[in-house]
Amino acid sequence: MKKLLLMLLLFTLAACQTNQSKPEQNKQLTQQDAAEFLQMVEDTYIKESEYAARVAWVQANFITDDTVWLGAKSIEKMGALQVKFANQAKKFDDLDLPDDMRRRLEKIKGSLTLAAPDDPEKNAELAQIMAKLEAMYGAGKYCVDGECRDLGELSKVIAESRNHKELLDAWTGWRTIAVPMREKYQRMVELANEGARELGFADTGAMWRAGYDMPADDFAEELDRLWGQVEPLYDALQCHVRSELTEQYGDEVMGDDGMIPAHLLGNMWAQDWTAVYDMVKPDNAGETIDVTARLKAHDYDAKKMVKTAENFFVSLGLDPLPETFWERSLFLKPKDRDVVCHASAWDIDNEDDIRIKMCIKEDYEDFVTVHHELGHNFYQRAYKDKSIVYRTGANDGFHEAIGDTIALSMTPKYFKDIGLIDEIPSSDNDLGMLMKKALEKVAFVPFGLMIDQWRWQVFNGEISPDEYNAGWWRLRNQYQGVKAPVERTEDQFDPGAKYHIPGNTPYTRYFLAHILQFQFHRELCKTAGFEGDLHRCSIYNNKAAGEKLIKVLEMGAEKPWQDAMQVIANSRDMDATAMLDYFAPLKLWLDEQNKDRQCGW
Ligand SMILES: [Zn+2]
């Protein structure tokens, strides 16, 4: 469920060009120089990104030794080149420039996730470590007596088993794959920090926080504020779930510190608790709509699912997807070759050649995912007329939030409107539906926050290499009220067992997206004139809501995200109270359940 981060690939193939042209030295730089530099970078992006995207597409759709080689080459060159452009952009730091030029230069400086030091050896070392870490994760298996299980198999145990010993084995087993990553990760942090400092940032974490149109420290405080808003709801959910799990597993397994052992929550990282729904659902919760069965009953195949999702966006006033989308996307897992099945949305030429790549199963989960992925595609096409450095989300949380916002409108009313069900069920079943959603969305919030809290502290040295694991668990305890089921030591490296750590993908975007999607949903429902419970609102077919949304999509990143927020929410601030509004009926119910329980940790 991600958009392909083309910014990472954009620079790949421009290497030979810039290597040939020596930057002019010791010359007084002018606005004209800055304009020419921007033009050069943007022209290079436009020209080369399509090539890089096609290489990446072919690699992901036809995994062979050769395409992997081509893809790796493409990515290998990227680091050096990105650093070069970022360094060149830095030369204009002290020049008085119009706002728009300044912003485009900052975007070029901020396009890096990890900055390699400006030293070919160190750049190569960093690239190797990054590739190695990613490969270690991808190939990770837990083997006992020659019998090996991968993440998929172990995750199935975590989701389905109710035997805590079996759960513990799968949980600790998966974490064995991360042990050898530890030293490499430490070296990577050193190198990346050196590169970040060369670009003028205090450390890599500060570089990541710089991309949010506000001072880095203010942004960190802003996240704390948003978390503070969600915390009472999360605490109530955690307390209830803990109590129900105690009934299942007993005090001995649970302990008496108020926290939940991480292996019992149905997900390898305890970031999504949907799999324990049956154990924690309200006693009187009715059946929620079985969308999967309804899809089957109405002969939905993969293409019809995508067509239906497209129709949602069209109902808001967006143009239908281009013919090429239907010709070039991948909807089904091919029988005769290896592909990357993880759902993704692509923008091949930064214009109209947008696609999704998924191995669609005809079920509810993938129906939601299709709506999510198309959110990326419609966003990509909407901002295609902006400068190429602005062809991205207002901030990275926005891009993830758009499709999810649409998915929040996949209500019973929507299912009736598209003919999947005949009658809208009464609200008696809503508590169950809300509980299921809360286990997915509310449970995620502190996890979404703590991942980068850990990384920021690792990058700035607050968490030193000899306490990587202790620091990780300190944060998981503090934010999630989730604890390791058995003692962990510094011989292990539990952060490495979560893809985004060895994969070096910033995570704050997912935290933001979880907050933003509810805020967008509430504001668009208001615009649509909806009255009633927020979880029953669907903006399907509402042109007024669509008009507002389209305005935001078309802005891309041309203006600070606060300006985009102003358009959609009539306010410049992110606000997590919309999430509280959405789950208000569930919160009442949780408080009632919890009133005689000992909550907190
Ligand atoms: Zn996504």
Side-chain angles (χ1 to χ4, degrees), residues 1-3 372-373 376 399-400 510:
M1 292 218 225
K2 61 177 182 186
K3 138 189 105 103
H372 172 91
E373 297 302 335
H376 289 308
H399 226 300
E400 288 301 330
Y510 302 107

Side-chain angles (χ1 to χ4, degrees), residues 115-128:
D118 194 10
D119 167 336
E121 255 176 57
K122 286 180 176 167
N123 176 35
E125 186 186 358
L126 180 62
Q128 274 165 18

Side-chain angles (χ1 to χ4, degrees), residues 71-309:
K73 268 274 180 276
S74 193
I75 286 165
E76 193 184 302
K77 287 186 182 172
M78 171 192 77
L81 202 71
Q82 277 183 298
V83 168
K84 196 176 294 253
F85 277 133
N87 266 313
Q88 288 176 352
K90 203 175 70 176
K91 289 189 205 149
F92 301 101
D93 278 358
D94 298 328
L95 194 62
D96 205 14
L97 290 171
D99 289 350
D100 181 65
M101 287 177 79
R102 173 60 55 208
R103 186 170 177 79
R104 278 147 71 201
L105 286 166
E106 291 304 317
K107 288 284 166 200
I108 290 165
K109 278 161 61 181
S111 71
L112 292 140
T113 300
L114 295 189
D118 194 10
D119 167 336
E121 255 176 57
K122 286 180 176 167
N123 176 35
E125 186 186 358
L126 180 62
Q128 274 165 18
I129 293 176
M130 287 170 73
K132 184 81 192 147
L133 284 172
E134 181 129 25
M136 286 164 96
Y137 187 91
K141 286 194 175 61
Y142 170 46
C143 302
V144 182
D145 298 332
E147 208 173 294
C148 298
R149 285 178 292 171
D150 63 15
L151 177 59
E153 290 161 296
L154 295 167
S155 292
K156 205 167 143 60
V157 175
I158 295 279
E160 291 172 5
S161 171
R162 300 292 181 249
N163 175 324
H164 77 91
K165 285 193 178 128
E166 218 169 79
L167 290 165
L168 184 61
D169 176 58
W171 191 91
T172 51
W174 175 244
R175 279 156 182 77
T176 59
I177 69 132
V179 173
M181 294 179 188
R182 190 182 175 109
E183 249 173 72
K184 290 189 169 49
Y185 196 83
Q186 184 184 338
R187 178 64 182 149
M188 191 198 73
V189 169
E190 284 168 19
L191 290 167
N193 273 342
E194 195 180 325
R197 279 192 287 271
E198 283 176 14
L199 290 176
F201 299 99
D203 60 75
T204 300
M207 188 171 89
W208 289 7
R209 291 192 298 278
Y212 292 97
D213 299 309
M214 53 166 68
D217 289 347
D218 293 5
F219 179 64
E221 266 175 44
E222 185 61 4
L223 298 186
D224 287 340
R225 180 183 69 79
L226 293 167
W227 167 233
Q229 290 181 310
V230 181
E231 221 176 339
L233 173 61
Y234 178 81
D235 290 354
L237 181 68
Q238 193 269 5
C239 186
H240 170 70
V241 169
R242 185 178 187 281
S243 168
E244 296 293 321
L245 290 181
T246 305
E247 281 190 18
Q248 173 85 22
Y249 294 107
D251 287 328
E252 205 174 310
V253 173
M254 297 300 288
D256 58 3
D257 50 20
M259 291 195 273
I260 304 176
H263 62 318
L264 305 179
L265 285 159
N267 172 277
M268 189 56 90
W269 308 277
Q271 70 177 68
D272 177 337
W273 304 350
T274 318
V276 301
Y277 173 74
D278 281 341
M279 283 185 272
V280 306
K281 69 180 178 189
D283 288 337
N284 53 355
E287 287 296 311
T288 48
I289 302 171
D290 187 345
V291 178
T292 302
R294 304 309 303 161
L295 289 171
K296 287 222 160 63
H298 284 82
D299 293 325
Y300 271 70
D301 59 10
K303 189 170 178 189
K304 190 169 176 187
M305 287 164 72
V306 183
K307 271 275 170 211
T308 307

Side-chain angles (χ1 to χ4, degrees), residues 379-386 391-393 399 553-554 556:
Y379 206 163
Q380 287 160 341
R381 194 180 54 182
Y383 54 55
K384 73 186 170 92
D385 293 328
K386 299 295 178 196
R391 287 179 213 171
T392 182
H399 226 300
L553 300 185
E554 285 176 347

Side-chain angles (χ1 to χ4, degrees), residues 492-508:
Q492 288 125 359
F493 184 55
D494 294 333
K498 170 70 189 166
Y499 168 75
H500 300 71
I501 301 294
N504 280 303
T505 310
Y507 213 72
T508 302

